[in-house]
Amino acid sequence: MAEAKTKPTSLSVESYLSAIVDSARRADCETLVKLMSKTSKQPAVMWGTAIVGFGTHKYPLAGGKFGEICAVGFSSRKGDISIYGVAGEGVDSGLMLQLGKHKLGKGCLYVAKLADVDLKVLEKLVAEAVRAKQVLHNGPLDD
């Protein structure tokens, strides 16, 4: 089996953020670091070269093996900010309706800018995602 490409690295979150050219996008990403750190109670860690992640989510693979990815995280992409771990199966659809302007992909939430969404609702989505992943594994995120 091939080794996962997206895994925690020693790259600097601060360097990643400071390299974001658009000052408004950089400020949005700095806000997401604060919101996700506070809500997940996990430090920001670079996963690969472009995902800022919080905690670890282990999930089953075929043959009794496990994969892992950040429990929640985000990445500044060309068009939008991709927010990982808060969308998909089991998400409170009522909260999604209250969130504001966003798009959904397979397990991904896309926002153009944080001003388009209600940050309190986003914080609840992050909290629910973290709680659901802890319950799934019957323990802290970094087991």
Side-chain angles (χ1 to χ4, degrees):
M1 185 164 117
E3 186 176 335
K5 292 178 185 175
T6 306
K7 57 186 176 183
T9 69
S10 60
L11 297 174
S12 163
V13 172
E14 292 75 21
S15 293
Y16 172 74
L17 295 172
S18 66
I20 299 171
V21 177
D22 182 282
S23 61
R25 173 66 63 89
R26 186 171 52 253
D28 280 353
C29 290
E30 290 166 349
T31 297
L32 281 172
V33 167
K34 291 175 188 163
L35 182 148
M36 290 184 159
S37 291
K38 177 184 130 192
T39 306
S40 70
K41 297 177 179 60
Q42 299 290 319
V45 173
M46 290 303 300
W47 283 71
T49 59
I51 296 174
V52 180
F54 305 82
T56 303
H57 172 58
K58 295 177 182 169
Y59 55 93
L61 296 169
K65 298 184 186 248
F66 283 86
E68 68 178 35
I69 190 64
C70 54
V72 293
F74 71 90
S75 184
S76 177
R77 301 294 186 191
K78 188 175 182 178
D80 294 314
I81 299 171
S82 299
I83 302 174
Y84 304 108
V86 300
E89 196 175 311
V91 172
D92 184 337
S93 59
L95 281 178
M96 283 295 183
L97 289 173
Q98 298 170 34
L99 181 60
K101 187 176 176 183
H102 68 279
K103 294 180 270 181
L104 291 173
K106 186 178 180 179
C108 232
L109 173 69
Y110 303 100
V111 297
K113 56 187 184 278
L114 289 185
D116 290 342
V117 298
D118 183 328
L119 290 181
K120 296 277 186 208
V121 173
L122 181 58
E123 190 171 350
K124 287 179 185 174
L125 287 167
V126 170
E128 282 190 5
V130 168
R131 192 168 28 256
K133 288 171 181 139
Q134 286 178 323
V135 168
L136 246 138
H137 301 291
N138 295 316
L141 292 178
D142 290 321
D143 269 356

